[in-house]
Each structure stands twice: as structure tokens, then as C-alpha cells.
Amino acid sequence: SRAGREAAMLITNNFEAHATRLLRAENLQQRQQLVMEMRDSIEIVHTAEYGNFLRHLFPAFYQLLSEGTPQFSEGPEQKVRNMLLEVLNRLPNNETLRPHVPMMLSLCMKLLETDNEENAVICLRIIFDLHKNFRPTLEREVQPFLKFVERIYRGLPNTVALLFSDKESAASAGPGIPRTEQQHAAEQAQARVQQ
């Protein structure tokens, strides 16, 4: 579409300015619009501009995702977080990405433990792709991921019990908190039990 080509030109002509606008957006709707422009012009990563895209925009993505608050209900902030992760998931796993892989992996590991289920699934896809494509570089990062999986399995009985007890009490109390917030509460309780 013409709007998509114009957005691609805008982004291509000045990645640094786009990253600055993204970080300094006055409101969530403006930030959401900027992220949508990037997502819609993602084909730029298949050009010689990929390195410039990463150099300027990856730090902005990293900052927004790592410093932002995970969202457990739908809204503009969740949409921004989700679209940023989708853009990261669609990046080609080639040599241009290699310098950013350690930061991307650590970000996704952090979000895997703290963010909502929808975003965590995208983080898992990114983690799997990074390990598949940069295996020798990431060998020492396999153990933390396996420990995370082990913690999930060890905490599963407590989580299941908590979720079912929450459902029963929520059903008897009438309309309650949304399911995603119940899951968040269960994860927090599980984390407290494991500490």
C-alpha cells in the first residue's frame, strides 16, 4: 500500500529519529502508531538497511520492553509490547543480528518469566530461533533456559491447585477478575512459594 511505502521511506530515511520519537512518544496511541509503522514496513530488514535498523531501533525496543510494565489485560500498552515482540520475532537470524543476540536473548528470558502468556509465547519462539541459529555462541545460555523450564514443571502442581481454587472462589463470588489476572496472581503465588 502507498501508506506502507511512505512509512518505510520515513523509517529508512532516519532510523535514529524514529527511535527517538518512539521513546519520547507523548502518549500510548502515538507510540502504538509508530510501532505499527515499523511492523508494516518490516521488509526493510531484508535490505542493506538491516544493520542501521538494528543499530538504532533495537536499543529503543529493548528499553521499552525491559523498562515497561507487563500488561495482563488488553489495551494500548499491551498492543505496543506485543507488536514490538512480533517485530523482533520477524527479524532475520543472520550475521547482522549476531551482535544483538545476547541482549535479545536476555530480554526474552526476562519477559518469559514476567510478561503475560501471549507475549511469553512470542519470547519462546524468539529464544528457540536464536538457539537454533546461533547455537555455538549461546551454549552457555542453554542452562538458564533449562532451569526456567524445570522451575515451571516443579511449580506446576501448586499453580494448578491455585488456579482451581481461584476458579471455585471466583465462581461463588460471581463475576470476578479476568482470567489473565488470575493467571498472573497464580504465577506470583508460585514465585513466592519457590523463594
Side-chain angles (χ1 to χ4, degrees):
S1 76
R2 182 171 182 231
R5 284 191 304 275
E6 287 174 3
M9 286 301 293
L10 173 72
I11 293 170
T12 304
N13 288 336
N14 199 341
F15 293 114
E16 188 174 9
H18 205 76
T20 300
R21 285 197 345 253
L22 182 62
L23 290 172
R24 295 184 182 161
E26 293 178 19
N27 57 52
L28 284 172
Q29 287 73 24
Q30 185 182 25
R31 182 169 287 147
Q32 186 176 353
Q33 182 61 41
L34 291 166
V35 175
M36 281 176 27
E37 287 174 12
M38 282 182 270
R39 185 194 61 192
D40 293 346
S41 61
I42 192 68
E43 66 273 357
I44 196 75
V45 300
H46 297 288
T47 70
E49 291 295 317
Y50 185 31
N52 290 328
F53 176 93
L54 288 172
R55 186 175 311 107
H56 296 291
L57 290 168
F58 179 73
F61 287 15
Y62 184 92
Q63 182 178 339
L64 290 172
L65 288 166
S66 63
E67 295 176 7
T69 305
Q71 301 296 302
F72 294 92
S73 60
E74 283 300 315
E77 193 168 346
Q78 164 56 16
K79 286 181 181 163
V80 167
R81 293 178 71 76
N82 187 264
M83 284 189 293
L84 288 171
L85 287 168
E86 282 293 344
V87 169
L88 292 177
N89 186 48
R90 293 170 65 187
L91 296 177
N93 289 298
N94 58 28
E95 288 304 309
T96 306
L97 183 63
R98 186 177 295 278
H100 304 279
V101 166
M103 282 183 68
M104 188 181 299
L105 184 62
S106 71
L107 173 66
C108 288
M109 287 296 294
K110 174 188 173 193
L111 296 178
L112 187 61
E113 294 194 42
T114 60
D115 222 304
N116 65 54
E117 183 179 334
E118 183 181 6
N119 291 350
V121 168
I122 299 170
C123 288
L124 274 175
R125 287 192 309 231
I126 294 169
I127 291 167
F128 289 150
D129 285 344
L130 293 176
H131 278 288
K132 182 172 64 174
N133 292 289
F134 300 99
R135 184 176 321 191
T137 307
L138 299 177
E139 278 186 29
R140 69 179 181 268
E141 304 299 330
V142 171
Q143 198 59 41
F145 178 72
L146 293 176
K147 285 203 178 292
F148 169 77
V149 172
E150 180 184 19
R151 279 195 323 270
I152 296 296
Y153 278 108
R154 286 187 191 273
L156 192 58
N158 292 338
T159 303
V160 169
L162 184 62
L163 281 174
F164 283 116
S165 68
D166 281 351
K167 280 184 184 178
E168 290 170 8
S169 62
S172 64
I177 57 175
R179 173 99 169 100
T180 54
E181 290 182 27
Q182 285 180 341
Q183 290 172 328
H184 177 61
E187 291 167 1
Q188 287 181 326
Q190 177 185 348
R192 285 191 295 274
V193 168
Q194 291 177 352
Q195 290 176 348

